[in-house]
Amino acid sequence: MNPQDRINELTDRLNHYNYQYYQNSISEVDDYTFDKLLEELVDLEKNHPSFRRSDSPTLRVGGTISKEFATVYHRFPMLSLGNTYSETDLIEFDVRVRKGLDGADYEYVCELKFDGVALSMTYENGVLVQGATRGDGVRGDDITHNVRTIRTIPLKVADPHVPALFEVRGEGFLPTAEFERINREREDIGEPLLANPRNAASGTFKLQDSSLVAKRRLDCFLYSFLSEPEVFKTHEESLQAMKRWGFNVSQSWRKCTSILEVMDYIREWETGRYELPLATDGIVIKVNSYDQQRQLGFTAKSPRWAIAYKYKALAASTTLNSVSYQVGRTGAVTPVANLTPVLLAGTVVRRASLHNSNEIQRLGVMLHDTVFIEKGGEIIPKVTGVDLGNRTDASRPIVYPTECPACGTALIRQEGEAHFYCPNEKGCPPQRQARFEHFIQRRAMNIESLGEGKIELLIDRGLVKSPADLYELTFGQLFGLEKKFTDEETGKTRVVSFKQKTVDNILNAIERSKAQPFRNVLFALGIRYVGNTIAEKLADYFGSLDDLMAAPYETLITAPEVGDRIARSLVAWFADSENRVYVERLRLAGLQMSQERKVVEKKGDTLSGKTFLYTGTFTNFSREELEREIDAHGGKLVSGVSKKLSYLIVGENAGPSKVEKAQNLGVPMIGEDEFLAMLTV
Ligand code: IVH
């Protein structure tokens, strides 16, 4: 097949898989096959750039570095909405609408008010040509490269009947599950955690390297369609058409024929909204007919045909009865407040987060105090303050434990860390449970059918101690197992039982996991600081577990992105004989312990023995290209400025802290041209 035909075929096929996956939740191929096809397309496009299509799925992988986002003017200004907080305000809004429409009939469309980042996407002849932020409403930033990485935003609309030029608007967001995944990964590698999904989304959209954006699976709910001339008569029609054309329209909207129906909608979603994949802070009410919208017009800042109803800040006060201490997957201990049950946002709250011992001090909270709790963007309520006026003689100081509440080991706190840790990684029950959960996750061994209490049951019955035991489980051991779990929070019970089909599914998933590539196995081992990305780099670089295990510290730190901290962690992990036995058992079970090495083609050794770090953006290279060049010429990329660093390569918009540190330590700084010159001498 000639390259152009193959490019077309791959583009169509991959776009079809993406569509099925993101719009219909159907996986027609496994990740591995998908990645292979995508790789083939990337290669073909590299050799035949003129055949790359404007809807190529490779555009979603990112790779473009924008030094600075260009400013773009919005064709139609991006306005904001008036806010109301009470039903009285809403009724007043309805009266204004009725008056403005001279008593004619009208309908509303209610939607949720998504708490993310407003985005605007422009399509020309069905092709996505621009993605922009709201900015000041008149002009925003051109973030097209970042927007293209959002899998649910079509790069090309298949229906030929779409207007030649149109714009869709919506709210870009980081799904809660994705936010938690990123934070778990950051925790794995010891990076500071992202504060909340909204800030994380807005920070991600501003990243200059779109390949980093692509790694965080952003999403977007669309809520407006704009074209000239208009093609729809109502907002409802536009939502239906956008959905048909493959845009991600949240199905939470509803048409209402009176303000009373709007109030029903508000009440229904007051609690229902917590089931959605993102935070919402209210609802938006829009007059349905476009003619009527025009008739009502705008004030200076916002439309008269729409309004936002904000849910009240969800706060309550109650008594703090005691504090429990939970041990997380890395051994971090988190204090949790046990409260006298109180109704908050339609649910009974019995527990709330206290974060860490510093937070307890900051709040000055004592046992038996009356405390304020709030439900914010996060799902778990938190204690936000103490009602000091209500403090009585019964209040007692909170004594932070010095031993692990789960296993009794003395807790430790590293300098600069907010959390206390239980260092008993292997023996501490919650840490063991977490190790299993890490092992079975999709990006590791993908045995997720073992979730939801099943692992706990297996550990409980003594059937598994280490994840390697999973590979020895038999049908007879599993069939018929049953346990009742009581949710501490809600008091509800749930039965986990291993019926014939469940057992078959689990055993099949365990068997299939043996084919998971080596990089997944390496990640599954749960070595501290070896997150997904590092596992992949190590697998590519060393090619097998044997070579990785045999590598001394000095060799480990020559691997891309591996610095002192990761190298030490690897050495310590493999030096532990229990870990060695664990790995051998996994090998015997048939897990993949090697893969093809992906070593960068050597171009020379002009940089041999030198270490590099870069900051800012460059004209001739993307970050990845720069890293590849360093590697290909025998140099080594490191992760921080130290006295030993040979060169800091400084680009545009360089980070001031790195530059300052390099200056202080006397590390030579070079520009892009000097770096280029070094490659050839
Ligand atoms: S419509 C002229 N619908 O709220 C009105 N906005 O204050 C155009 N938002 O910047 C906006 N969910 O980012 C609309 N379902 C929804 C929304 C929504 C969230 C945000 C949007 C906008 C802000 C308005």
Side-chain angles (χ1 to χ4, degrees):
M1 195 184 281
N2 75 43
Q4 184 169 16
D5 287 347
R6 182 65 180 159
I7 287 179
N8 282 334
E9 185 188 310
L10 287 169
T11 304
D12 288 336
R13 225 165 114 187
L14 290 164
N15 281 346
H16 169 77
Y17 293 146
N18 262 332
Y19 182 81
Q20 288 291 72
Y21 187 77
Y22 289 101
Q23 297 296 330
N24 300 328
S25 306
I26 300 170
S27 286
E28 287 192 9
V29 282
D30 56 81
D31 289 359
Y32 182 75
T33 315
F34 187 93
D35 289 347
K36 280 275 161 231
L37 294 173
L38 192 63
E39 248 171 54
E40 184 188 344
L41 183 59
V42 169
D43 278 350
L44 278 170
E45 287 178 348
K46 206 186 279 166
N47 295 329
H48 309 278
S50 61
F51 297 151
R52 184 188 213 187
R53 278 177 26 188
S54 57
D55 61 338
S56 169
T58 60
L59 290 167
R60 299 215 186 273
V61 189
T64 317
I65 312 271
S66 317
K67 277 195 206 157
E68 209 171 273
F69 298 119
T71 300
V72 287
Y73 281 79
H74 299 300
R75 260 187 207 87
F76 312 90
M78 289 182 84
L79 300 170
S80 59
L81 293 165
N83 287 329
T84 73
Y85 293 88
S86 70
E87 297 200 337
T88 325
D89 283 354
L90 261 191
I91 290 171
E92 280 170 13
F93 164 75
D94 186 46
V95 169
R96 287 198 299 275
V97 168
R98 193 171 328 127
K99 273 198 193 150
L101 296 176
D102 303 320
D105 285 344
Y106 54 91
E107 297 164 334
Y108 290 119
V109 169
C110 292
E111 291 162 15
L112 282 155
K113 189 164 190 301
F114 308 111
D115 195 11
V117 178
L119 297 176
S120 154
M121 275 68 61
T122 307
Y123 285 77
E124 268 175 32
N125 302 318
V127 175
L128 172 67
V129 292
Q130 187 180 87
T133 61
R134 176 172 183 273
D136 62 6
V138 175
R139 64 203 144 202
D141 284 343
D142 180 344
I143 52 161
T144 311
H145 296 301
N146 291 350
V147 165
R148 281 194 181 123
T149 67
I150 303 178
R151 304 297 205 271
T152 60
I153 293 187
L155 297 173
K156 187 176 177 188
V157 180
D159 192 322
H161 305 298
V162 295
L165 178 67
F166 68 87
E167 204 177 316
V168 292
R169 290 181 181 171
E171 201 78 354
F173 65 94
L174 195 62
T176 319
E178 178 66 3
F179 169 75
E180 285 165 359
R181 183 193 67 74
I182 293 171
N183 264 352
R184 271 201 306 275
E185 200 165 312
R186 290 174 81 91
E187 197 179 0
D188 267 355
I189 58 172
E191 279 187 43
L193 303 188
L194 305 173
N196 62 51
R198 210 203 78 84
N199 289 357
S202 118
T204 307
F205 279 113
K206 289 190 195 125
L207 289 175
Q208 289 168 326
D209 183 345
S210 58
S211 65
L212 295 178
V213 181
K215 284 189 184 146
R216 296 184 179 177
R217 299 297 177 104
L218 292 160
D219 203 342
C220 182
F221 276 147
L222 280 310
Y223 51 64
S224 298
F225 182 92
L226 298 149
S227 69
E228 234 173 25
E230 249 165 23
V231 281
F232 305 112
K233 292 207 165 339
T234 62
H235 181 55
E236 175 189 25
E237 277 176 32
S238 78
L239 291 177
Q240 288 162 339
M242 282 196 286
K243 179 85 193 152
R244 235 184 7 258
W245 290 334
F247 289 99
N248 193 18
V249 178
S250 165
Q251 292 308 286
S252 49
W253 65 274
R254 185 186 299 165
K255 189 165 76 177
C256 295
T257 49
S258 72
I259 201 71
L260 294 177
E261 276 182 39
V262 170
M263 288 175 187
D264 286 342
Y265 179 88
I266 291 177
R267 271 187 286 272
E268 277 173 46
W269 283 98
E270 179 148 19
T271 49
R273 64 204 181 104
Y274 292 109
E275 312 285 320
L276 292 171
L278 81 163
T280 50
D281 56 357
I283 69 154
V284 181
I285 303 141
K286 302 174 182 173
V287 168
N288 192 19
S289 147
Y290 283 167
D291 277 341
Q292 291 183 331
Q293 288 188 1
R294 248 187 312 275
Q295 199 178 333
L296 289 162
F298 299 86
T299 68
K301 277 190 298 191
S302 48
R304 288 201 187 88
W305 46 265
I307 199 158
Y309 172 90
K310 293 277 201 83
Y311 287 111
K312 290 194 188 62
L314 303 168
S317 70
T318 184
T319 313
L320 171 66
N321 297 322
S322 63
V323 178
S324 327
Y325 298 87
Q326 283 177 351
V327 186
R329 54 181 256 98
T330 54
V333 175
T334 311
V336 179
N338 297 311
L339 310 163
T340 300
V342 58
L343 197 65
L344 178 63
T347 49
V348 178
V349 177
R350 294 183 165 79
R351 288 145 71 80
S353 174
L354 276 166
H355 298 296
N356 53 50
S357 69
N358 292 350
E359 179 71 358
I360 293 178
Q361 269 178 2
R362 191 186 69 82
L363 293 168
V365 60
M366 293 169 84
L367 291 178
H368 311 302
D369 271 349
T370 304
V371 293
F372 298 111
I373 58 167
E374 257 177 45
K375 213 173 211 173
E378 302 77 22
I379 311 299
I380 306 160
K382 56 184 180 209
V383 176
T384 54
V386 182
D387 185 353
L388 286 175
N390 249 338
R391 182 171 274 174
T392 66
D393 293 346
S395 291
R396 293 280 170 277
I398 295 170
V399 182
Y400 213 84
T402 52
E403 285 163 6
C404 173
C407 71
T409 308
L411 297 180
I412 51 168
R413 173 145 80 167
Q414 249 122 33
E415 229 184 275
E417 294 251 7
H419 278 98
F420 280 94
Y421 283 86
C422 165
N424 179 16
E425 270 170 52
K426 289 192 191 119
C428 182
Q431 293 191 60
R432 175 184 295 164
Q433 164 90 17
R435 210 166 47 244
F436 272 96
E437 278 161 14
H438 176 82
F439 188 86
I440 63 167
Q441 63 176 288
R442 208 168 75 90
R443 282 158 175 258
M445 304 313 290
N446 195 14
I447 323 180
E448 289 193 335
S449 43
L450 259 180
E452 289 168 27
K454 297 199 181 68
I455 291 271
E456 211 177 319
L457 178 51
L458 296 186
I459 296 177
D460 229 47
R461 299 289 153 94
L463 290 171
V464 291
K465 283 199 179 66
S466 130
D469 297 331
L470 294 174
Y471 293 92
E472 284 164 24
L473 290 172
T474 62
F475 186 90
Q477 284 175 314
L478 299 180
F479 183 68
L481 287 179
E482 204 169 271
K483 189 178 171 187
K484 218 192 249 175
F485 286 89
T486 309
D487 188 318
E488 282 180 43
E489 182 109 351
T490 59
K492 280 189 195 149
T493 54
R494 185 167 53 90
V495 179
V496 170
S497 65
F498 285 72
K499 305 207 176 73
Q500 159 114 28
K501 194 155 176 340
T502 321
V503 178
D504 284 344
N505 281 344
I506 291 172
L507 291 176
N508 283 337
I510 293 179
E511 191 54 37
R512 263 202 316 272
S513 77
K514 295 179 184 171
Q516 287 290 87
F518 170 51
R519 62 181 145 95
N520 291 50
V521 176
L522 188 53
F523 172 59
L525 295 179
I527 303 170
R528 205 175 171 99
Y529 305 134
V530 180
N532 230 310
T533 319
I534 297 293
E536 196 174 335
K537 301 252 175 208
L538 286 170
D540 286 348
Y541 190 76
F542 287 99
S544 75
L545 193 80
D546 286 336
D547 286 346
L548 175 65
M549 259 188 325
Y553 175 90
E554 294 70 26
T555 313
L556 287 169
I557 59 163
T558 59
E561 287 191 40
V562 175
D564 175 67
R565 191 177 57 159
I566 299 173
R568 274 173 198 271
S569 167
L570 284 161
V571 170
W573 201 87
F574 286 115
D576 183 327
S577 62
E578 265 181 58
N579 290 337
R580 291 266 187 166
V581 171
Y582 172 44
V583 166
E584 284 321 304
R585 289 186 61 204
L586 293 178
R587 189 200 303 272
L588 280 176
L591 269 58
Q592 303 301 312
M593 296 296 176
S594 63
Q595 66 167 61
E596 210 177 295
R597 286 185 71 186
K598 279 195 206 152
V599 189
V600 178
E601 207 184 306
K602 281 276 169 261
K603 294 185 184 168
D605 57 4
T606 46
L607 306 183
S608 150
K610 302 195 174 87
T611 56
F612 294 85
L613 179 68
Y614 61 87
T615 170
T617 54
F618 302 92
T619 320
N620 293 291
F621 310 101
S622 71
R623 284 167 199 242
E624 275 180 5
E625 282 162 357
L626 185 67
E627 290 178 15
R628 228 176 294 137
E629 286 304 301
I630 296 174
D631 214 15
H633 290 85
K636 154 110 176 108
L637 188 74
V638 295
S639 58
V641 181
S642 73
K643 249 205 301 226
K644 284 185 284 179
L645 176 64
S646 317
Y647 297 99
L648 178 67
I649 315 173
V650 183
E652 282 197 40
N653 295 323
S657 61
K658 281 187 190 144
V659 172
E660 203 183 308
K661 198 161 175 196
Q663 254 162 2
N664 290 342
L665 295 173
V667 171
M669 284 185 270
I670 55 172
E672 193 171 356
D673 293 341
E674 286 162 278
F675 173 72
L676 270 171
M678 282 172 123
L679 300 181
T680 46
V681 271

